[in-house]
Amino acid sequence: MAGAKNHDYHILPPSIWPLFGSMSALVMAFGAIMWMHPDAMPAGGGWVFLLGMAGLLFTFYSWWANVIAEAHAGDHTPVVQLHLRYGMILFIASEVMFFVGWFWAFFDFSLFPSALAPIEGMFPSKGIEVMNAFELPLLNTLILLCSGTTVTWAHHALIHGDRDGLKKGLWCTILLGLLFSSIQAYEYAHAPFPFGGSPYSSGFYMATGFHGFHVIVGTIFLIVNLVRVYKGHFTPRQHFGFEAAAWYWHFVDVVWLFLFVAIYVWGGWGAPIHAG
């Protein structure tokens, strides 16, 4: 019969969200430009930015809600689930390259320090006191490693049909993620060097700050999964949403290990340590 489906793929119906999300991103970009250049642009850039961000967040919510509805409707066949996994792998790979850029910049600063001010051939720059890598940074490393264990616990509980273990594992992972973010915020508030002024401080805040943003995104990802678990979503055979969150969280863990070794330990080696 014409129009009959004789394959395992999911043909998506027309959707407004790609266009709506693109326009929201455009509005947000214009608002950011207006906000950052108040002398050359009309007033109200901050409100335009927030309007665009609200539209983008609404797009995220609505689009992913459609994806969840498609999963419950049976559209996520094994073939579709496989391709969703491919998509998540490619997304994580793009995020890896994003952090490669920050590592590249940091190693370039440190291995080839310029003779020009403010570096003067030294890295970290003269006068900078670094954080003790074996205090709060080490504590946060242990917290993230523990969170990787708890999210694995939750994953195994889900595979074996243990809903109680799934909830406990997710709760533990979310709380550890919130604890990590709180400690990093405290660390930033008491940092002995400002954001700008030297390649060390700029590289430090950009690399660790973007990682901190990824931890917040991952925590929100896990919270959404926890809500879905309480609603009865996910089965041992179909749980890509949870699997994607777990993969993302493990990626965040691994990146932090490299950041801890490269920036906190190696990057501050031989520099005076802040006594605060």
Side-chain angles (χ1 to χ4, degrees):
M1 184 173 67
K5 180 178 177 181
N6 56 2
H7 55 77
D8 291 331
Y9 295 92
H10 177 214
I11 307 302
L12 295 171
S15 174
I16 189 62
W17 302 122
L19 176 61
F20 188 82
S22 299
M23 296 306 296
S24 297
L26 183 64
V27 170
M28 189 172 70
F30 270 115
I33 294 170
M34 293 167 60
W35 195 2
M36 289 184 285
H37 299 277
D39 296 334
M41 295 286 181
W47 292 108
V48 176
F49 174 82
L50 292 175
L51 178 64
M53 178 177 284
L56 205 57
L57 292 174
F58 182 70
T59 302
F60 293 162
Y61 173 83
S62 302
W63 205 338
W64 285 327
N66 287 350
V67 174
I68 293 171
E70 291 161 4
H72 290 306
D75 294 324
H76 289 183
T77 63
V79 171
V80 173
Q81 290 184 54
L82 177 64
H83 291 169
L84 287 172
R85 289 182 173 88
Y86 286 160
M88 191 65 193
I89 290 170
L90 290 174
F91 169 69
I92 291 176
S94 72
E95 292 287 277
V96 169
M97 299 312 297
F98 177 83
F99 278 99
V100 165
W102 299 123
F103 280 111
W104 189 307
F106 191 82
F107 283 119
D108 182 61
F109 291 150
S110 58
L111 294 174
F112 306 101
S114 170
L116 301 176
I119 305 179
E120 299 175 348
M122 298 177 60
F123 191 87
S125 305
K126 185 177 180 180
I128 286 187
E129 293 182 341
V130 300
M131 300 178 188
N132 190 340
F134 300 101
E135 291 182 352
L136 290 181
L138 178 59
L139 175 60
N140 258 353
T141 302
L142 297 175
I143 288 171
L144 271 192
L145 288 175
C146 288
S147 72
T149 303
T150 56
V151 78
T152 302
W153 168 31
H155 195 182
H156 279 272
L158 173 57
I159 291 173
H160 292 92
D162 180 8
R163 306 290 293 188
D164 186 59
L166 170 60
K167 293 175 184 177
K168 290 178 180 176
L170 271 176
W171 269 112
C172 290
T173 308
I174 291 167
L175 292 175
L176 288 170
L178 293 173
L179 180 60
F180 176 94
S181 298
S182 299
I183 292 175
Q184 187 173 43
Y186 177 86
E187 180 185 68
Y188 279 9
H190 295 81
F193 45 82
F195 174 79
S198 76
Y200 174 82
S201 61
S202 297
F204 172 88
Y205 282 114
M206 291 302 290
T208 61
F210 267 107
H211 176 269
F213 171 74
H214 281 72
V215 171
I216 294 172
V217 170
T219 304
I220 295 171
F221 204 168
L222 292 170
I223 290 172
V224 171
N225 275 273
L226 182 62
V227 172
R228 293 187 63 190
V229 168
Y230 276 99
K231 288 185 174 182
H233 297 189
F234 303 131
T235 67
R237 292 177 59 86
Q238 185 170 327
H239 53 266
F240 169 74
F242 177 87
E243 201 169 30
W247 288 359
Y248 188 85
W249 196 257
H250 288 308
F251 155 73
V252 167
D253 286 352
V254 173
V255 169
W256 176 258
L257 291 177
F258 282 99
L259 285 172
F260 175 72
V261 173
I263 293 182
Y264 284 99
V265 179
W266 183 83
W269 196 270
I273 297 176
H274 181 61

